[in-house]
Amino acid sequence: MSDTKSESLNPFAIAQRQFDGAAELLGLDVSARLLLREPMREFAVTIPVRMDDGNTRVFKGYRVQYNNSRGPTKGGLRWHPDETIDTVRALAAWMTWKTAVVDLPLGGGKGGVTCNPLEMTEGEKERLARGYIRAVGRVLGATRDIPAPDVYTNSQIMAWMLDEYETLVGETHPGVITGKPLQLGGSQGRGDATARGGVYVMREACKLLGIDPSTARVAVQGFGKVGSNAALLGSKVLGLTVVAACDVNGAVINEDGIDVDALAQHSLRTGSVVGFDGAESMDPDGLLELPVDIVVPAALENAITARNAGKIQAKIVCELANGPTTPDADAVLHERGIYVIPDFLANAGGVTVSYLEQVQNAYNYYWDVKEVHTQLDRRMTESFHAVHELHESRKVDMRTAAYMISIDRVATACRLRGWI
Ligand code: NAD
């Protein structure tokens, strides 16, 4: 994504800078700061995979267990060509603050493999998924560390990994991984949970800011599991008008409103939003700067930097991606009065339903989708208002308020355990 010379775009340096600011405001003691600004455990592995052409390729994989004071570490698995230990560290840190801000009895972790799944066959992906579990499986478990889908991974990949794990341990353990297919112990409502949780907090933000969703316009960056469902649910549940959307290949715009169902079908069929005949093509770089009410970054880190923060025209930035806004950009958005719903609050719906999936796995009893939506709505709405109230009372931006709540909860758990 976009770059500026003066600004550090290393995601872990950004996560630490965000942490430091909130820790200072909380008056956190030195030992807590030292413990909480670093991961507790990291694993780096090499995964040999036999490719379809008969050659073996060796992939780098990572699993970072950032903090487990509040429960087993939990966090997705990303397969991306730009994956590094620092992106995984940052994402694991944000998972720790995410599970804490919505008050789940879980810690934070994350995994990654440096690869390009868009250029791999299904067989190659299956062998990589199984190889990853053979490499890190012994540190995973429903009471240790629980992966889930993230960028370029999906429920099929979770199914292969579950199968490999259960083959290794010789028992069924559905709670070792979430985001599974329904037939293997997945939860109703997990597929669109991240987006749905985001839609619930957008609804609450609109109420607070006096925005009528039925006349509000929105632009969505990223059209994968999260972005496409945010567009679909934003229009169906809230009545928002989606005017622009993009993915890694390009962007489309229709000032009168995009038929989101048709765009989702087009994207499913062709693999991209590009070429959709219900909209014009546009330069994806300008998407977040469009004159809309809400922008939804739902792709990767560093989408909003010092370079473009001054050009954002929306009233609300609902961060469904992890780490889309740099600290320098945050300061500009705050100064300009733009309401940012920070990533680890806005996109906590995914891990919330992953937690509900684990609860159902433990009971071996499964709920209907209405029950899942009710529980998700309650937790997202309560957490959002707790953050908003602190934002108002302490006169800090929403991200800092969310950090203050989470850090306090995690530090308390560490103190109770006698770690600090
Ligand atoms: P995905 O792989 O399903 O989709 C990613 C989308 O981003 C694709 O449409 C891709 O084309 C697009 N993209 C990639 N690079 C881009 C670029 N440079 N510009 C524009 N678009 C680009 O992934 P996802 O699960 O939808 O995840 C999206 C974001 O949401 C990530 O930041 C992820 O960490 C975060 N997130 C996901 C979940 C989840 O449950 N899947 C939960 C919380 C947060």
Side-chain angles (χ1 to χ4, degrees):
M1 293 237 161
S2 48
D3 202 348
T4 55
K5 285 210 166 57
S6 56
E7 203 180 6
S8 168
L9 298 185
N10 178 307
F12 188 51
I14 288 173
Q16 287 188 317
R17 192 171 148 195
Q18 292 168 340
F19 169 83
D20 290 342
E24 185 66 28
L25 284 170
L26 277 172
L28 202 68
D29 57 82
V30 175
S31 52
R33 288 189 205 202
L34 290 174
L35 181 67
L36 297 182
R37 72 194 303 283
E38 299 283 344
M40 296 187 76
R41 269 180 294 281
E42 301 184 346
F43 304 91
V45 296
T46 46
I47 310 161
V49 175
R50 184 80 54 168
M51 307 303 277
D52 285 358
D53 64 7
N55 291 317
T56 294
R57 275 188 61 190
V58 179
F59 294 91
K60 289 290 293 177
Y62 307 98
R63 188 75 196 167
V64 173
Q65 298 174 342
Y66 197 89
N67 187 288
N68 64 352
S69 60
R70 289 170 46 85
T73 48
K74 177 93 190 79
L77 175 62
R78 188 181 277 195
W79 286 6
H80 195 274
D82 299 334
E83 206 59 34
T84 67
I85 185 67
D86 272 346
T87 50
V88 183
R89 282 179 180 137
L91 292 160
W94 290 324
M95 282 308 300
T96 306
W97 314 130
K98 190 180 305 187
T99 54
V101 83
V102 286
D103 208 8
L104 301 174
L106 295 168
K110 198 82 183 190
V113 176
T114 314
C115 67
N116 189 355
L118 304 181
E119 292 172 358
M120 293 167 69
T121 65
E122 288 300 287
E124 290 167 347
K125 285 192 245 181
E126 176 174 354
R127 292 191 288 281
L128 178 59
R130 292 183 184 279
Y132 182 78
I133 290 299
R134 285 196 298 277
V136 302
R138 71 199 67 194
V139 301
L140 303 179
T143 56
R144 287 192 201 119
D145 184 10
I146 310 113
D150 194 76
V151 173
Y152 298 160
T153 60
N154 55 29
S155 59
Q156 175 61 74
I157 292 172
M158 300 304 113
W160 289 322
M161 294 201 295
L162 173 73
D163 182 65
E164 191 67 21
Y165 184 88
E166 292 184 339
T167 304
L168 287 174
V169 300
E171 291 171 357
T172 53
H173 279 274
V176 70
I177 201 154
T178 58
K180 301 180 289 290
L182 283 178
Q183 299 83 346
L184 298 183
S187 175
Q188 296 285 349
R190 176 60 184 89
D192 64 14
T194 305
R196 186 174 291 274
V199 165
Y200 292 150
V201 295
M202 277 190 256
R203 176 193 67 202
E204 296 306 304
C206 284
K207 278 187 212 159
L208 290 173
L209 301 186
I211 296 171
D212 175 1
S214 70
T215 59
R217 293 149 62 80
V218 56
V220 182
Q221 182 193 56
F223 210 70
K225 296 182 289 297
V226 176
S228 65
N229 281 312
L232 285 164
L233 294 172
S235 65
K236 278 197 186 118
V237 177
L238 293 187
L240 299 170
T241 303
V242 178
V243 295
C246 75
D247 59 28
V248 71
N249 300 305
V252 292
I253 183 165
N254 182 340
E255 297 283 359
D256 298 328
I258 291 174
D259 176 343
V260 189
D261 271 316
L263 179 63
Q265 279 165 27
H266 171 87
S267 171
L268 213 58
R269 205 171 51 246
T270 66
S272 177
V273 299
V274 173
F276 175 57
D277 59 12
E280 309 279 306
S281 72
M282 70 167 283
D283 177 2
D285 280 349
L287 182 127
L288 295 175
E289 298 159 21
L290 287 169
V292 292
D293 300 281
I294 305 174
V295 287
V296 180
L300 295 175
E301 302 84 53
N302 301 327
I304 306 178
T305 65
R307 190 188 57 81
N308 60 352
K311 299 183 198 157
I312 306 277
Q313 301 188 59
K315 301 179 189 85
I316 296 174
V317 176
C318 182
E319 296 183 339
L320 295 189
N322 285 305
T325 309
T326 63
D328 288 357
D330 247 341
V332 175
L333 297 179
H334 186 53
E335 172 75 28
R336 297 184 56 225
I338 294 171
Y339 192 85
V340 178
I341 313 176
D343 49 6
F344 66 87
L345 170 65
N347 68 29
V351 74
T352 299
V353 176
S354 274
Y355 163 67
L356 300 177
E357 180 175 331
Q358 272 205 303
V359 171
Q360 295 168 81
N361 293 152
Y363 275 96
N364 202 12
Y365 178 78
Y366 291 84
W367 306 329
D368 62 20
V369 73
K370 201 161 154 260
E371 175 68 24
V372 173
H373 289 172
T374 304
Q375 295 211 33
L376 174 64
D377 195 349
R378 181 180 55 77
R379 207 173 273 266
M380 292 302 296
T381 302
E382 285 175 8
S383 307
F384 170 83
H385 284 287
V387 172
H388 179 81
E389 276 161 29
L390 195 67
H391 147 76
E392 296 241 288
S393 65
R394 292 290 302 260
K395 308 225 173 323
V396 292
D397 62 39
M398 285 284 285
R399 189 184 320 280
T400 307
Y403 262 105
M404 289 170 74
I405 290 174
S406 297
I407 293 171
D408 185 49
R409 286 181 179 159
V410 178
T412 300
C414 293
R415 248 178 243 118
L416 287 168
R417 286 178 180 278
W419 292 354
I420 46 176

